[in-house]
Amino acid sequence: MHSLTIAWNMVRRTLGRKKGWVVYLVMPCIVVALAVLLLGQTKAVGIVVSYVNDDEGPAGQYVIRELARHDQYVLKEAASEAELRDGLLHNTSTVGIRIPSGLSQGLIEGEVPGVKLYELTASEGAASVRLTVESAIKRLHGTGSIIRTAGEEAGGMQMLEQVLGQVERYTIDTATTDLHLYSRPGLANVTGFTLMFMMGLISSVVTLIVDDRRQRTMSRIYTAPVRAYEIALGNFLGSLVVGSLQVMVVLLLSRTVLRYDYGIPFGLHFLILTAFMMVSLGLATTVAGMIRNDKNTALINSLIITPTSMLGGCFWPISIMPDFMQKIANFIPQKWAIEAVEIGATGGSLADIGLPLAVLGLMAVILLTVGSAVLRPSEVGTGGRA
């Protein structure tokens, strides 16, 4: 019962004030919203292709239609070659294409005029456009060879148009199927920054516990003996309620308002973040039991939150770190939380994330046990009164 009383008191002290709502609910929502907007936008930017078609026959139109079949290409017609070049110089287009006059007639006669491609800097998008154009020209060249072989040069233009019409009629299209083999790009970064900000709850919990001990609040409230584990458990449960509410609000905001698709079911996602929150609160209880000077709480961010976030993969992939740092990351809760989210985003079930959840649960139990052992409610900090 003492634990429940302490838990309720902590919830009331945390969310019973306007400042508490701002710190624990409003600020996390703002930070997560910024993380989603800056790191979670993975839509591919269209490759702007400016073109000038000087060909009078069907071959030039065929090249343009082949480019239009690709969703990532944004076609923009230019009035002249000079306008096409200006678009590249002013960065309004990625690549420019000039289809020369007489392309269709040249295909029929066996002379293939070159299609000019302009690019300001080498890029993956420009290379993709070049391959598409070269592939289309190669098919046109083969069609021209067939017309010449049939001896139909006189009516070659009409035959070329008919052949290209039949080719486009039976063109095999492609469709992209998401097999959920990989998590969404940017998901690890969004999750990492969310976890890092959630760990900010550690500082608040530590501050509350240290203040209670420094001001002898614990000693005054409980005239009967209260065991250390009850105090630790009460602070843990109260903070867990606040943390769970924080996780719920953040997930609802990012999913419903920002419409960010994590690729993982809501319940599974909530379970993973709640498990991580339990580890964070266990760590807060342990740290609070060790700190005797309330001025040292300012060092928690630089000594615990930031270093563990760096080692746990919140800022960059763990795979790029040295081997010894990757081994250290196995003892960091952020690493297991991010891994669980990524497994869930690739279609994993609760059984698939059993190992990460078990590790997080074990960490929470160990830290809470250590915290209850080192917490001394009768002691005061250096700023307390005897």
Side-chain angles (χ1 to χ4, degrees):
M1 292 300 296
H2 291 301
S3 298
L4 296 179
T5 304
I6 297 174
W8 168 246
N9 181 60
M10 174 165 282
V11 172
R12 187 177 59 182
R13 291 170 59 192
T14 303
L15 299 179
R17 299 173 299 171
K18 184 184 297 184
K19 180 180 178 181
W21 284 91
V22 173
V23 173
Y24 295 105
L25 297 180
V26 177
M27 287 299 296
C29 292
I30 295 176
V31 172
V32 172
L34 292 175
V36 169
L37 293 176
L38 296 177
L39 305 174
Q41 302 301 321
T42 58
K43 293 183 179 179
V45 179
I47 303 172
V48 181
V49 180
S50 299
Y51 69 92
V52 176
N53 184 15
D54 292 332
D55 182 49
E56 301 82 4
Q61 291 296 326
Y62 174 77
V63 174
I64 300 302
R65 288 194 294 269
E66 283 296 298
L67 291 171
R69 290 179 57 240
H70 296 265
D71 295 335
Q72 67 269 31
Y73 299 159
V74 179
L75 300 183
K76 183 174 66 174
E77 185 175 6
S80 63
E81 188 174 0
E83 182 180 339
L84 186 148
R85 294 180 177 179
D86 288 341
L88 293 174
L89 293 175
H90 292 87
N91 202 28
T92 57
S93 60
T94 308
V95 61
I97 299 175
R98 180 179 179 271
I99 302 175
S101 174
L103 175 63
S104 299
Q105 189 62 37
L107 289 170
I108 299 172
E109 297 175 355
E111 299 178 358
V112 183
V115 176
K116 294 183 179 180
L117 273 78
Y118 301 90
E119 54 181 325
L120 193 61
T121 57
S123 63
E124 182 181 354
S128 175
V129 173
R130 182 182 297 275
L131 289 175
T132 302
V133 173
E134 290 178 352
S135 177
I137 295 298
K138 185 176 181 179
R139 290 192 295 271
L140 287 172
H141 183 67
T143 304
S145 299
I146 295 174
I147 294 175
R148 291 193 304 274
T149 303
E152 299 290 342
E153 288 88 345
M157 191 69 68
Q158 183 178 0
M159 180 173 288
L160 177 63
E161 185 174 358
Q162 292 177 353
V163 171
L164 293 180
Q166 291 297 318
V167 169
E168 292 182 352
R169 181 179 178 182
Y170 296 103
T171 297
I172 299 176
D173 205 352
T174 60
T176 303
T177 302
D178 187 5
L179 299 178
H180 297 286
L181 298 178
Y182 302 95
S183 60
R184 174 174 178 165
L187 177 62
N189 292 329
V190 173
T191 304
F193 276 87
T194 302
L195 297 179
M196 185 179 66
F197 194 83
M198 286 171 58
M199 289 195 73
L201 187 61
I202 294 178
S203 301
S204 303
V205 174
V206 171
T207 300
L208 287 174
I209 296 177
V210 171
D211 285 346
D212 284 349
R213 187 170 52 201
R214 178 175 58 84
Q215 299 173 6
R216 291 189 177 275
T217 302
M218 297 179 183
S219 300
R220 289 199 301 267
I221 293 178
Y222 303 105
T223 55
V226 180
R227 297 179 180 179
Y229 83 89
E230 292 182 307
I231 298 176
L233 182 60
N235 286 288
F236 175 82
L237 292 176
S239 300
L240 181 61
V241 172
V242 177
S244 299
L245 181 61
Q246 184 184 91
V247 171
M248 181 71 70
V249 173
V250 166
L251 290 182
L252 290 176
L253 171 72
S254 57
R255 287 172 176 267
T256 59
V257 179
L258 301 178
R259 298 192 178 280
Y260 181 73
D261 182 16
Y262 289 94
I264 179 174
F266 179 86
L268 198 61
H269 199 183
F270 179 79
L271 178 63
I272 295 171
L273 294 184
T274 303
F276 176 79
M277 180 64 69
M278 292 174 63
V279 178
S280 300
L281 297 177
L283 180 60
T285 306
T286 301
V287 173
M290 295 179 177
I291 291 181
R292 294 296 178 265
N293 189 345
D294 56 351
K295 296 181 180 179
N296 293 334
T297 57
L299 299 176
I300 295 176
N301 184 64
S302 58
L303 295 181
I304 298 178
I305 299 178
T306 302
T308 57
S309 297
M310 295 171 64
L311 291 173
C314 293
F315 300 121
W316 47 71
I318 296 178
S319 58
I320 68 174
M321 299 191 303
D323 291 338
F324 76 95
M325 296 182 68
Q326 294 186 31
K327 294 178 181 179
I328 297 176
N330 291 323
F331 299 93
I332 305 300
Q334 289 93 320
K335 183 255 187 184
W336 296 102
I338 294 176
E339 180 178 324
V341 171
E342 290 184 332
I343 293 175
T346 57
S349 61
L350 181 60
D352 296 321
I353 63 173
L355 178 60
L357 286 180
V359 173
L360 291 174
L362 181 61
M363 288 182 177
V365 171
I366 293 176
L367 291 172
L368 181 61
T369 303
V370 173
S372 63
V374 299
L375 187 64
R376 297 293 183 267
S378 60
E379 296 182 5
V380 296
T382 58
R385 293 174 296 178

